[in-house]
Every structure is written in structure tokens, then in C-alpha cells.
Amino acid sequence: MKTCLVVDDSKVIRKVARHILESLAFRVEEAADGREALDACAAQAPDLVLLDWNMPVMSGMDFLRALGLSSVSPRPKIVFCTTENGHAHIRAALDAGADEYVMKPFDRETLAGKLQIVGLG
Amino acid sequence: MSDLSPASTRVFSAILEARTGQQISPGRRWRIDVALAPLLRARGWRSLEQLAAQVGSGRDPALAETVVEALLNNETSFFRDPAAWTLFATRALPGLIEARTAERRLRLWSAGCATGQEAFSLAMLLADEPRLAGWSVDIVATDVSRAAIDRAREGLFSQFEIQRGLPAPLMLRWFEQEGEGWRAVPALRRRIRFHHHSLLEPAPAPARFDAIFCRNVLFYFADAVRTRAFDRLAGALAGEGVLMLGAGETVIGQTTHFASDAAARGLYRRTQP
Ligand SMILES: C[S@@+](CC[C@H](N)C(=O)[O-])C[C@H]1O[C@@H](n2cnc3c(N)ncnc32)[C@H](O)[C@@H]1O
Ligand SMILES: [Mg+2]
């Protein structure tokens, strides 16, 4: 079974994402900020990280940079999922190594399509 | 279930089928209520029965057209059914490029293009094909719905639409933010000619296409009407050309003009005349 780490400081968003991902046959873990996410990646090596941008302690972008410098292997696919919806934000995320980008709000079809794009469909 | 009277249901179904070939099966009758509710509110009609009477009277052609457009299903997305696009890119395109090397020209038709996502997907795919550098690539995209064609020509998509199936790098490269939406850049829009056309009529010029995408359109046609549509598609396709259908569609039992490519199932080629 494929695994996904949902990283978001909103419990509600994590719940929605979990629901959708489970319906897409993922096993889901959760983290509330980038710091927790780094630990979870090291411990669990998920196939996919669904990543919020704005979070306390460590933002999604800082997580992405830290993951790049870490020894976590194999590297999970990173799909940003955030309300930061500007062209410049998306550019910065892709340049920092994100594989895909989902603008909130999103639905099951949108997420399923993005997962197909990164090869986890 | 629909509360609509059988007589009014017949009025709406009949006009939709006459104008577009689309049938509404008994199991999908409820869609009439859903599809026409916004129109009913916007125009201040009291009931669908009243609207049906007005449409049925034939006195208001513009109203009839609006009703038909509201009843059409315009559901679409970028690179819909990714496997079909991979099939086209890897198993159809190389052969088409080889066949047209002398002319350095490809002609493609997105037939029933809805709001344009299929045609834009095609334009983005071909723009990135190095073997087509310097070629003329003509993409014609048509739909029976004028409202859909107007929107396609605008190339302006909501946030919801833009991220359905479209990889983020392609979105950044080919679309600009405009208000709440994303608009195709002129360099992309220029690659497509959109116009109104019904598949019940002869094919648009140049009527010798190398590839026709007619996906998720013929599904709800009556059998005889679909067979005639396949006749016309075959007549509009070059001998070496390929036809792409929707993921749930087939030619089996519907036409003798096309057969699935034995080496690449899901690509349809003309049988010998
Ligand atoms: C479900 S959409 C499919 C759009 C796109 N081809 C795809 O696969 O995503 C079907 C489209 O076919 C159009 N259509 C229905 N009957 C048609 C006809 N007789 N001629 C041309 N277009 C038609 C509808 O207006 C609608 O936009
Ligand atoms: Mg947040």
C-alpha cells in the first residue's frame, strides 16, 4: 500500500485530505508542521508528502529545503497543497524541488489527477 | 426522479436531439431539472412546464438555443485520460510526423472540444515536440455549443478548471493569472482556431485531418446518427490519420470505417474503403 504524509497545521484540512487519500488507497500519516514532517519522513519513508505552505515552527518551503539537505532516502514525491496561489509562489516551489502543486480548495478529482501526474495514480 | 411532465420532457429531449444528436436516456432525465434550474431562475420563469411550452411553441429561437446549450454536458479537463494522451504521443504522433515530413504540416481537429481543454492540451503537447520545429501545425477545435466555443476562444479558466489534469510547470509556462482565473497566453491561443460546428453537418475545412479527437461526444448519439457521424469523421481523416475516442467509447458494432490499431489498442484507424 502506498503511503502519504499529510503536512498541514489545520486539523480540518488534514482530515479532508486523509479522507480523499484513503479513498485513493493510500495509508495516511499526519504532521502539523515541517519539523514533525521531517521526523516522520526519516522514520516512515512515505511515497508522497502533501505539503502546506504556511505553518508554525517550520514552513513548507523550509521543510522542502531541509529535506533536500537531509539523508532521507528514497525521496518522497512532494505535492504542495496550499492557499498560496500566485504564479511566483508556484514557481518558487517547483524551483525548490516540489513535484506538483495543488491550489486550495481542491477536490478528489483534482488531487487524483495530480497524483497521476507524479506517477502515484 | 424528475417531476417534469412526460410532455415537457419530450419537448426538451426532442429539441436537444434535433439540434445536437444527443439523447437523454430515461435514467438521465433528472439532469433536465438540474441543467435548466439556473436558466429558470435567471429568466424568471415560474416552472419548467412554462419554459417547455415556450420552447415548444417555436416562437423564440434564441431561447431554444439557450436551453439546448444548458442541456449539453460540457464536462472536460486538460489531458483527460492521461493514458490516451501517452498513447497518442508515443504511438500515433511519430508515424504522423514521418508521413508528413515532405509537407512539414500537420492538421488536427478537436471535434466537440467543449471549453477548449482538449485543444489546448494538444497545442501544448505539439509545441514541445522538437521534431515539429518549423512545421505548420493547424489545430481546429469545434463544438455545437456557442457558449462553450466563446469560452474556449477566451482561454480563461477558473482555478478549479486550470488544475484539472494540467501539470504545474505547463500551467506556469502557458497561462497567466488574470483576476481569479488563468488565461492562456496569446502564443498558445494563436495555435488553435475555434469555431461553432455540429457533428451532424459535414466536417469543417480542410477536411483532411491527420488526427481527429472526438472524445466523449458520440456516446449519447442514437445508433444511426452515430454511425453517420463516423462516416463523416472517416471522410475527414487522411488515409494514414488517427481517430481518438473517449476512454469508454469504441467503434465496435457502430461503423465499418474504423478499426482499432492492432498494435496500439485505443488508436482508431480507417479501414480500407
Ligand atoms: C463531455 S464534452 C467532451 C469534451 C472533450 N472532447 C473531452 O473529451 O473532454 C462533450 C462536448 O460535445 C459537444 N457536442 C455535443 N453534441 C455535439 C455535436 N452534434 N457536434 C459538436 N459538438 C457536440 C458538447 O457541447 C460538449 O461540449
Ligand atoms: Mg497552513
Side-chain angles (χ1 to χ4, degrees), chain B residues 73-157:
Chain B
N73 165 13
N74 297 141
E75 169 81 16
T76 188
S77 56
F78 291 97
F79 298 103
R80 183 173 185 173
D81 310 316
W85 287 88
T86 304
L87 191 67
F88 177 74
T90 60
R91 309 300 299 274
L93 197 52
L96 295 177
I97 292 175
E98 204 176 300
R100 295 290 171 252
T101 310
E103 302 151 69
R104 295 167 66 78
R105 162 168 242 140
L106 272 190
R107 299 181 168 101
L108 308 107
W109 178 19
S110 168
C113 67
T115 39
Q117 283 88 329
E118 182 174 274
F120 284 113
S121 302
L122 198 48
M124 289 185 276
L125 176 77
L126 299 177
D128 270 344
E129 173 52 62
R131 286 167 294 183
L132 291 176
W135 286 42
S136 309
V137 177
D138 304 331
I139 303 175
V140 176
T142 60
D143 200 282
V144 73
S145 162
R146 288 178 202 278
I149 280 295
D150 287 346
R151 282 212 48 210
R153 211 178 266 132
E154 288 289 305
L156 181 60
F157 298 97

Coordinates of all heavy atoms in Angstrom, one line a residue, chain B residues 73-157:
Chain B
N73 N -23.7 18.5 -22.0 CA -22.8 18.2 -20.9 C -21.4 18.7 -21.4 O -20.9 18.1 -22.4 CB -22.8 16.7 -20.6 CG -21.6 16.3 -19.8 OD1 -20.9 17.1 -19.3 ND2 -21.4 15.0 -19.8
N74 N -20.8 19.7 -20.8 CA -19.5 20.2 -21.3 C -18.4 19.8 -20.4 O -17.3 20.4 -20.5 CB -19.5 21.8 -21.3 CG -20.6 22.4 -22.2 OD1 -21.2 23.3 -21.9 ND2 -20.7 21.7 -23.4
E75 N -18.6 18.7 -19.6 CA -17.5 18.2 -18.7 C -16.2 17.9 -19.5 O -16.3 17.2 -20.5 CB -18.1 17.0 -18.1 CG -17.1 16.2 -17.3 CD -16.8 16.7 -15.9 OE1 -17.6 17.6 -15.4 OE2 -15.8 16.4 -15.3
T76 N -15.1 18.5 -19.1 CA -13.8 18.2 -19.7 C -12.7 18.5 -18.8 O -12.9 19.1 -17.7 CB -13.7 19.0 -21.0 OG1 -12.6 18.5 -21.7 CG2 -13.6 20.5 -20.8
S77 N -11.5 18.2 -19.1 CA -10.3 18.5 -18.3 C -9.1 18.5 -19.2 O -9.2 17.9 -20.3 CB -10.2 17.6 -17.1 OG -10.1 16.3 -17.5
F78 N -8.0 19.1 -18.8 CA -6.8 19.0 -19.5 C -6.3 17.6 -19.5 O -6.4 16.9 -18.5 CB -5.7 19.9 -18.9 CG -6.0 21.4 -19.1 CD1 -6.7 22.1 -18.1 CD2 -5.7 22.0 -20.3 CE1 -7.0 23.5 -18.3 CE2 -6.0 23.4 -20.5 CZ -6.7 24.1 -19.5
F79 N -5.7 17.1 -20.7 CA -5.1 15.8 -20.8 C -6.0 14.7 -20.2 O -5.5 13.9 -19.4 CB -3.7 15.8 -20.2 CG -2.7 16.7 -20.9 CD1 -2.4 17.9 -20.3 CD2 -2.2 16.4 -22.1 CE1 -1.5 18.8 -20.9 CE2 -1.3 17.3 -22.7 CZ -0.9 18.5 -22.1
R80 N -7.3 14.8 -20.5 CA -8.2 13.9 -19.9 C -7.8 12.5 -20.3 O -7.5 12.2 -21.4 CB -9.6 14.2 -20.5 CG -10.7 13.4 -19.9 CD -12.0 13.9 -20.5 NE -13.2 13.3 -19.9 CZ -14.4 13.7 -20.1 NH1 -14.7 14.7 -20.8 NH2 -15.4 13.0 -19.6
D81 N -7.9 11.6 -19.3 CA -7.4 10.2 -19.5 C -6.0 10.2 -20.0 O -5.7 10.0 -21.2 CB -8.3 9.4 -20.5 CG -9.8 9.5 -20.2 OD1 -10.1 9.4 -19.0 OD2 -10.6 9.8 -21.2
P82 N -5.0 10.4 -19.1 CA -3.6 10.6 -19.4 C -3.1 9.4 -20.3 O -2.3 9.6 -21.2 CB -2.9 10.6 -18.1 CG -3.9 11.1 -17.1 CD -5.3 10.6 -17.6
A83 N -3.6 8.2 -20.1 CA -3.1 7.1 -20.9 C -3.4 7.3 -22.3 O -2.6 6.9 -23.2 CB -3.8 5.8 -20.4
A84 N -4.5 7.9 -22.7 CA -4.9 8.1 -24.1 C -3.9 9.1 -24.7 O -3.5 9.0 -25.9 CB -6.3 8.6 -24.2
W85 N -3.5 10.1 -23.9 CA -2.5 11.1 -24.4 C -1.2 10.5 -24.6 O -0.5 10.8 -25.6 CB -2.5 12.3 -23.5 CG -3.7 13.1 -23.6 CD1 -4.9 12.9 -22.9 CD2 -4.0 14.2 -24.6 NE1 -5.9 13.8 -23.4 CE2 -5.3 14.6 -24.4 CE3 -3.2 14.8 -25.5 CZ2 -5.9 15.7 -25.1 CZ3 -3.7 15.8 -26.3 CH2 -5.1 16.2 -26.1
T86 N -0.8 9.6 -23.7 CA 0.5 8.9 -23.8 C 0.5 8.1 -25.1 O 1.4 8.0 -25.9 CB 0.8 8.0 -22.6 OG1 0.7 8.9 -21.5 CG2 2.2 7.4 -22.7
L87 N -0.6 7.4 -25.3 CA -0.8 6.6 -26.5 C -0.7 7.4 -27.8 O 0.0 7.0 -28.7 CB -2.2 5.9 -26.4 CG -2.5 4.8 -27.5 CD1 -1.6 3.6 -27.2 CD2 -4.0 4.4 -27.4
F88 N -1.3 8.5 -27.8 CA -1.3 9.4 -28.9 C 0.2 9.9 -29.2 O 0.7 9.8 -30.3 CB -2.2 10.6 -28.8 CG -2.1 11.6 -29.9 CD1 -2.7 11.3 -31.2 CD2 -1.4 12.8 -29.8 CE1 -2.6 12.2 -32.2 CE2 -1.3 13.7 -30.8 CZ -1.9 13.4 -32.1
A89 N 0.8 10.3 -28.1 CA 2.2 10.9 -28.2 C 3.2 9.9 -28.6 O 4.1 10.2 -29.4 CB 2.6 11.6 -26.9
T90 N 3.0 8.7 -28.1 CA 4.1 7.7 -28.4 C 3.8 6.8 -29.6 O 4.7 6.3 -30.3 CB 4.3 6.8 -27.1 OG1 3.1 6.1 -26.8 CG2 4.8 7.6 -26.0
R91 N 2.5 6.5 -29.9 CA 2.2 5.5 -30.9 C 1.5 6.1 -32.1 O 1.5 5.4 -33.1 CB 1.3 4.4 -30.3 CG 1.8 3.8 -29.0 CD 3.1 3.1 -29.2 NE 3.1 2.0 -30.1 CZ 2.8 0.8 -29.8 NH1 2.4 0.5 -28.6 NH2 2.8 -0.1 -30.8
A92 N 1.0 7.3 -32.1 CA 0.4 7.9 -33.2 C 1.3 9.0 -33.8 O 1.5 9.0 -35.0 CB -1.0 8.5 -32.9
L93 N 1.8 9.9 -33.0 CA 2.5 11.1 -33.5 C 3.7 10.8 -34.3 O 3.9 11.4 -35.4 CB 2.8 12.0 -32.2 CG 3.2 13.4 -32.5 CD1 2.1 14.1 -33.4 CD2 3.3 14.2 -31.2
P94 N 4.6 9.8 -33.8 CA 5.8 9.6 -34.6 C 5.4 9.2 -36.1 O 6.1 9.7 -37.0 CB 6.4 8.4 -33.9 CG 5.9 8.5 -32.5 CD 4.5 9.0 -32.6
G95 N 4.4 8.3 -36.3 CA 4.0 7.9 -37.6 C 3.5 9.1 -38.4 O 3.7 9.2 -39.6
L96 N 2.7 9.9 -37.8 CA 2.1 11.1 -38.5 C 3.3 12.0 -38.9 O 3.2 12.6 -40.0 CB 1.2 11.8 -37.6 CG -0.1 11.1 -37.2 CD1 -0.9 11.9 -36.2 CD2 -0.9 10.7 -38.4
I97 N 4.2 12.2 -38.0 CA 5.4 13.1 -38.4 C 6.1 12.6 -39.6 O 6.5 13.3 -40.5 CB 6.3 13.3 -37.2 CG1 5.5 14.1 -36.1 CG2 7.6 14.0 -37.5 CD1 6.3 14.3 -34.8
E98 N 6.3 11.3 -39.5 CA 7.0 10.6 -40.7 C 6.3 10.8 -42.0 O 6.8 11.1 -43.0 CB 7.2 9.1 -40.3 CG 8.4 8.5 -41.0 CD 8.5 7.1 -40.6 OE1 8.8 6.9 -39.4 OE2 8.4 6.2 -41.4
A99 N 4.9 10.6 -41.9 CA 4.1 10.7 -43.1 C 4.1 12.1 -43.7 O 3.8 12.2 -44.9 CB 2.7 10.2 -42.8
R100 N 4.3 13.1 -42.9 CA 4.2 14.5 -43.3 C 5.5 15.2 -43.4 O 5.5 16.4 -43.5 CB 3.3 15.3 -42.3 CG 1.9 14.8 -42.3 CD 1.1 15.1 -43.6 NE -0.2 14.4 -43.6 CZ -0.5 13.4 -44.4 NH1 0.4 12.9 -45.2 NH2 -1.7 12.8 -44.3
T101 N 6.6 14.5 -43.4 CA 7.9 15.1 -43.5 C 8.1 16.0 -44.7 O 8.7 17.1 -44.6 CB 9.0 14.1 -43.4 OG1 8.8 13.2 -42.4 CG2 10.4 14.7 -43.1
A102 N 7.6 15.6 -45.8 CA 7.8 16.4 -47.0 C 7.0 17.7 -46.9 O 7.6 18.8 -47.2 CB 7.3 15.6 -48.2
E103 N 5.7 17.6 -46.5 CA 4.9 18.9 -46.4 C 5.3 19.7 -45.2 O 5.0 20.9 -45.1 CB 3.4 18.6 -46.3 CG 2.9 17.8 -47.4 CD 1.7 16.9 -46.9 OE1 0.7 17.5 -46.6 OE2 1.9 15.7 -46.8
R104 N 5.8 19.1 -44.1 CA 6.1 19.8 -42.9 C 4.8 20.5 -42.4 O 4.8 21.6 -42.0 CB 7.2 20.8 -43.0 CG 8.5 20.1 -43.3 CD 9.6 21.0 -43.7 NE 10.0 22.0 -42.7 CZ 10.8 21.7 -41.6 NH1 11.3 20.5 -41.5 NH2 11.1 22.6 -40.7
R105 N 3.7 19.7 -42.4 CA 2.4 20.3 -42.0 C 1.6 19.2 -41.3 O 1.4 18.1 -41.9 CB 1.7 20.9 -43.2 CG 0.2 21.2 -42.9 CD -0.4 22.0 -44.0 NE -0.9 23.2 -43.4 CZ -0.8 24.4 -44.0 NH1 -0.2 24.6 -45.1 NH2 -1.3 25.5 -43.4
L106 N 1.0 19.5 -40.2 CA 0.1 18.6 -39.5 C -1.3 19.4 -39.3 O -1.3 20.5 -39.0 CB 0.6 18.2 -38.1 CG 1.5 17.0 -38.0 CD1 1.6 16.7 -36.5 CD2 0.9 15.8 -38.7
R107 N -2.3 18.6 -39.5 CA -3.7 19.2 -39.3 C -4.4 18.3 -38.3 O -4.6 17.1 -38.5 CB -4.4 19.2 -40.7 CG -3.8 20.0 -41.7 CD -4.7 20.0 -43.0 NE -4.3 20.9 -44.0 CZ -3.5 20.6 -45.0 NH1 -3.2 19.4 -45.3 NH2 -3.2 21.6 -45.9
L108 N -4.9 19.0 -37.3 CA -5.6 18.2 -36.2 C -7.0 18.9 -35.9 O -7.1 20.1 -36.0 CB -4.8 18.2 -35.0 CG -3.3 17.7 -35.2 CD1 -2.3 18.9 -35.2 CD2 -2.9 16.6 -34.3
W109 N -7.9 18.0 -35.5 CA -9.3 18.5 -35.2 C -9.7 18.0 -33.9 O -9.7 16.8 -33.7 CB -10.2 18.1 -36.3 CG -11.6 18.4 -36.2 CD1 -12.2 19.4 -35.4 CD2 -12.8 17.8 -36.8 NE1 -13.5 19.5 -35.5 CE2 -13.9 18.5 -36.4 CE3 -12.9 16.8 -37.8 CZ2 -15.2 18.2 -36.8 CZ3 -14.2 16.5 -38.2 CH2 -15.3 17.1 -37.8
S110 N -10.1 18.9 -33.0 CA -10.7 18.6 -31.7 C -12.2 18.8 -31.9 O -12.7 19.9 -32.0 CB -10.2 19.5 -30.6 OG -10.9 19.3 -29.4
A111 N -12.9 17.7 -32.1 CA -14.4 17.8 -32.5 C -15.2 17.6 -31.3 O -15.2 16.5 -30.7 CB -14.7 16.7 -33.6
G112 N -15.9 18.6 -30.8 CA -16.7 18.5 -29.6 C -15.7 18.9 -28.5 O -15.4 18.2 -27.5
C113 N -15.1 20.1 -28.6 CA -13.9 20.5 -27.8 C -14.4 21.1 -26.5 O -13.6 21.4 -25.6 CB -13.1 21.5 -28.5 SG -13.9 23.1 -28.8
A114 N -15.7 21.3 -26.3 CA -16.3 21.9 -25.1 C -15.5 23.3 -24.8 O -15.4 24.1 -25.8 CB -16.2 21.0 -23.9
T115 N -15.0 23.5 -23.6 CA -14.4 24.8 -23.3 C -12.9 24.9 -23.7 O -12.2 25.8 -23.3 CB -14.6 25.1 -21.8 OG1 -14.4 24.0 -21.1 CG2 -16.0 25.7 -21.6
G116 N -12.5 23.9 -24.5 CA -11.2 24.0 -25.1 C -10.0 23.3 -24.5 O -8.9 23.2 -25.1
Q117 N -10.2 22.6 -23.3 CA -9.1 22.0 -22.7 C -8.4 21.0 -23.5 O -7.2 20.8 -23.5 CB -9.5 21.3 -21.4 CG -9.8 22.3 -20.2 CD -11.2 22.9 -20.2 OE1 -11.8 23.1 -21.2 NE2 -11.6 23.3 -19.0
E118 N -9.2 20.2 -24.3 CA -8.6 19.2 -25.2 C -7.7 19.8 -26.3 O -6.5 19.4 -26.5 CB -9.7 18.4 -25.9 CG -9.3 17.3 -26.8 CD -10.5 16.5 -27.2 OE1 -11.0 15.6 -26.5 OE2 -11.1 16.8 -28.3
A119 N -8.1 20.9 -26.9 CA -7.4 21.6 -27.9 C -6.1 22.2 -27.3 O -5.0 22.2 -27.9 CB -8.3 22.6 -28.6
F120 N -6.3 22.9 -26.2 CA -5.1 23.5 -25.5 C -4.1 22.4 -25.1 O -2.9 22.6 -25.3 CB -5.5 24.3 -24.3 CG -6.1 25.6 -24.7 CD1 -7.4 25.9 -24.4 CD2 -5.4 26.6 -25.3 CE1 -8.0 27.1 -24.7 CE2 -5.9 27.8 -25.6 CZ -7.3 28.1 -25.3
S121 N -4.6 21.2 -24.7 CA -3.6 20.1 -24.3 C -2.9 19.7 -25.6 O -1.6 19.5 -25.5 CB -4.4 18.9 -23.8 OG -5.2 19.3 -22.7
L122 N -3.6 19.6 -26.7 CA -2.9 19.2 -27.9 C -1.9 20.3 -28.4 O -0.8 19.9 -28.8 CB -4.1 19.1 -29.0 CG -3.8 18.3 -30.3 CD1 -3.2 17.0 -30.0 CD2 -5.2 18.2 -31.0
A123 N -2.3 21.5 -28.3 CA -1.4 22.6 -28.7 C -0.1 22.6 -27.8 O 1.0 22.8 -28.3 CB -2.1 24.0 -28.6
M124 N -0.3 22.4 -26.5 CA 0.9 22.3 -25.6 C 1.8 21.1 -25.9 O 3.0 21.2 -26.0 CB 0.5 22.3 -24.1 CG -0.1 23.6 -23.6 SD -0.5 23.6 -21.9 CE -2.1 22.8 -21.9
L125 N 1.2 20.0 -26.2 CA 1.9 18.8 -26.5 C 2.7 19.0 -27.8 O 3.9 18.6 -27.8 CB 0.9 17.6 -26.7 CG 1.5 16.3 -27.1 CD1 2.2 15.6 -25.9 CD2 0.4 15.4 -27.7
L126 N 2.1 19.5 -28.8 CA 2.8 19.7 -30.1 C 3.8 20.8 -30.0 O 4.9 20.7 -30.7 CB 1.8 19.9 -31.2 CG 0.8 18.7 -31.3 CD1 -0.3 19.1 -32.4 CD2 1.5 17.4 -31.7
A127 N 3.6 21.8 -29.2 CA 4.6 22.9 -29.1 C 5.9 22.4 -28.6 O 7.0 22.9 -28.8 CB 4.0 24.0 -28.3
D128 N 5.8 21.3 -27.8 CA 7.0 20.8 -27.1 C 7.7 19.7 -27.9 O 8.6 19.0 -27.4 CB 6.7 20.3 -25.7 CG 6.8 21.4 -24.7 OD1 7.5 22.4 -25.0 OD2 6.3 21.2 -23.5
E129 N 7.2 19.4 -29.1 CA 7.7 18.3 -29.9 C 8.8 18.8 -30.8 O 8.5 19.5 -31.8 CB 6.5 17.7 -30.7 CG 6.9 16.6 -31.7 CD 7.8 15.5 -31.1 OE1 7.3 14.8 -30.2 OE2 9.0 15.4 -31.5
P130 N 10.1 18.5 -30.5 CA 11.2 19.0 -31.2 C 11.1 18.7 -32.7 O 11.5 19.5 -33.6 CB 12.4 18.4 -30.6 CG 11.9 17.4 -29.6 CD 10.5 17.6 -29.4
R131 N 10.6 17.5 -33.1 CA 10.5 17.1 -34.5 C 9.6 18.0 -35.3 O 9.6 18.0 -36.5 CB 10.1 15.7 -34.6 CG 11.2 14.7 -34.3 CD 10.7 13.3 -34.1 NE 9.8 13.2 -33.0 CZ 9.2 12.0 -32.6 NH1 9.4 10.9 -33.2 NH2 8.4 12.0 -31.5
L132 N 8.7 18.8 -34.6 CA 7.8 19.7 -35.3 C 8.3 21.1 -35.4 O 7.6 22.0 -35.9 CB 6.4 19.7 -34.6 CG 5.7 18.3 -34.7 CD1 4.4 18.4 -33.9 CD2 5.4 18.0 -36.1
A133 N 9.5 21.4 -35.0 CA 10.1 22.7 -35.0 C 10.0 23.2 -36.5 O 10.5 22.5 -37.4 CB 11.5 22.8 -34.5
G134 N 9.5 24.4 -36.7 CA 9.4 25.0 -38.0 C 8.3 24.4 -38.9 O 8.1 24.9 -40.0
W135 N 7.4 23.5 -38.4 CA 6.3 23.0 -39.1 C 5.1 23.9 -39.0 O 5.0 24.7 -38.0 CB 5.9 21.6 -38.6 CG 6.8 20.5 -39.0 CD1 8.1 20.5 -39.0 CD2 6.4 19.2 -39.4 NE1 8.6 19.3 -39.3 CE2 7.6 18.4 -39.6 CE3 5.1 18.6 -39.6 CZ2 7.5 17.1 -40.0 CZ3 5.1 17.2 -39.9 CH2 6.3 16.5 -40.2
S136 N 4.1 23.8 -39.9 CA 2.8 24.4 -39.7 C 2.0 23.4 -39.0 O 1.8 22.3 -39.5 CB 2.1 24.7 -41.0 OG 3.0 25.5 -41.8
V137 N 1.5 23.7 -37.8 CA 0.6 22.8 -37.1 C -0.8 23.5 -37.0 O -0.9 24.5 -36.3 CB 1.2 22.5 -35.7 CG1 0.2 21.6 -34.9 CG2 2.5 21.8 -35.8
D138 N -1.7 23.0 -37.7 CA -3.1 23.6 -37.7 C -4.0 22.8 -36.7 O -4.2 21.7 -37.0 CB -3.7 23.6 -39.1 CG -2.9 24.2 -40.1 OD1 -2.1 25.2 -39.8 OD2 -3.0 23.8 -41.3
I139 N -4.5 23.5 -35.7 CA -5.4 22.9 -34.8 C -6.8 23.6 -35.0 O -6.9 24.8 -34.7 CB -5.0 22.9 -33.4 CG1 -3.6 22.3 -33.2 CG2 -6.0 22.2 -32.5 CD1 -3.0 22.4 -31.8
V140 N -7.8 22.8 -35.4 CA -9.1 23.3 -35.5 C -9.9 22.7 -34.3 O -9.8 21.5 -34.1 CB -9.8 22.9 -36.8 CG1 -11.2 23.4 -36.9 CG2 -9.0 23.5 -38.0
A141 N -10.7 23.5 -33.6 CA -11.4 23.0 -32.5 C -12.9 23.5 -32.6 O -13.1 24.7 -32.8 CB -10.8 23.4 -31.2
T142 N -13.8 22.6 -32.5 CA -15.2 22.9 -32.8 C -16.1 22.4 -31.7 O -15.8 21.4 -31.1 CB -15.7 22.4 -34.1 OG1 -15.5 20.9 -34.1 CG2 -14.8 22.9 -35.3
D143 N -17.3 23.0 -31.6 CA -18.3 22.5 -30.7 C -19.6 23.0 -31.1 O -19.7 24.1 -31.7 CB -18.0 22.9 -29.2 CG -18.8 22.0 -28.2 OD1 -20.0 22.2 -28.0 OD2 -18.1 21.1 -27.6
V144 N -20.7 22.3 -30.8 CA -22.0 22.7 -31.2 C -22.5 23.8 -30.3 O -23.5 24.6 -30.6 CB -23.0 21.5 -31.2 CG1 -23.3 21.1 -29.8 CG2 -24.3 21.9 -32.0
S145 N -21.9 23.9 -29.1 CA -22.3 25.0 -28.1 C -21.6 26.3 -28.4 O -20.3 26.3 -28.2 CB -22.1 24.5 -26.7 OG -22.1 25.6 -25.8
R146 N -22.3 27.3 -28.7 CA -21.7 28.6 -29.0 C -21.1 29.2 -27.7 O -20.0 29.8 -27.7 CB -22.7 29.6 -29.5 CG -23.0 29.3 -31.0 CD -24.0 30.3 -31.5 NE -24.7 29.7 -32.7 CZ -24.2 29.7 -33.9 NH1 -23.1 30.3 -34.1 NH2 -24.9 29.2 -34.9
A147 N -21.8 28.9 -26.6 CA -21.3 29.4 -25.3 C -19.9 28.7 -24.9 O -19.0 29.4 -24.5 CB -22.3 29.1 -24.2
A148 N -19.8 27.4 -25.2 CA -18.6 26.7 -24.9 C -17.5 27.2 -25.8 O -16.3 27.5 -25.4 CB -18.8 25.2 -25.1
I149 N -17.8 27.4 -27.1 CA -16.8 27.9 -28.1 C -16.3 29.3 -27.7 O -15.1 29.6 -27.7 CB -17.3 27.9 -29.5 CG1 -17.2 26.5 -30.0 CG2 -16.6 28.8 -30.4 CD1 -15.8 25.9 -30.2
D150 N -17.2 30.2 -27.3 CA -16.8 31.5 -26.8 C -15.9 31.5 -25.7 O -14.9 32.2 -25.6 CB -18.1 32.3 -26.4 CG -18.9 32.8 -27.6 OD1 -18.4 32.6 -28.8 OD2 -20.0 33.2 -27.5
R151 N -16.2 30.6 -24.7 CA -15.3 30.4 -23.6 C -13.9 29.9 -24.0 O -12.9 30.3 -23.5 CB -15.9 29.5 -22.5 CG -17.0 30.2 -21.7 CD -17.0 29.6 -20.3 NE -15.7 29.6 -19.7 CZ -15.3 28.6 -18.8 NH1 -16.1 27.7 -18.4 NH2 -14.1 28.7 -18.4
A152 N -13.9 28.9 -24.9 CA -12.7 28.3 -25.4 C -11.8 29.3 -26.0 O -10.6 29.4 -25.8 CB -13.0 27.2 -26.3
R153 N -12.4 30.2 -26.8 CA -11.7 31.2 -27.5 C -11.1 32.2 -26.6 O -10.0 32.7 -26.8 CB -12.7 31.9 -28.5 CG -12.0 32.4 -29.7 CD -13.0 33.1 -30.6 NE -13.6 32.2 -31.6 CZ -14.9 32.0 -31.9 NH1 -15.8 32.7 -31.2 NH2 -15.3 31.2 -32.8
E154 N -11.8 32.5 -25.5 CA -11.3 33.4 -24.4 C -10.0 32.8 -23.8 O -9.1 33.5 -23.3 CB -12.3 33.6 -23.3 CG -13.5 34.5 -23.8 CD -13.0 35.9 -23.9 OE1 -12.4 36.5 -22.9 OE2 -13.1 36.5 -25.0
G155 N -10.1 31.5 -23.6 CA -8.9 30.8 -23.0 C -8.8 31.1 -21.5 O -7.7 31.0 -21.0
L156 N -9.8 31.5 -20.9 CA -9.8 31.9 -19.5 C -10.4 30.8 -18.6 O -11.6 30.5 -18.8 CB -10.5 33.2 -19.3 CG -10.5 33.8 -17.9 CD1 -9.1 34.1 -17.4 CD2 -11.3 35.1 -17.8
F157 N -9.6 30.3 -17.7 CA -10.1 29.1 -16.9 C -10.1 29.5 -15.4 O -9.2 30.2 -14.9 CB -9.2 27.9 -17.1 CG -9.3 27.4 -18.6 CD1 -8.3 27.8 -19.5 CD2 -10.3 26.7 -19.0 CE1 -8.4 27.4 -20.8 CE2 -10.4 26.3 -20.3 CZ -9.4 26.7 -21.2

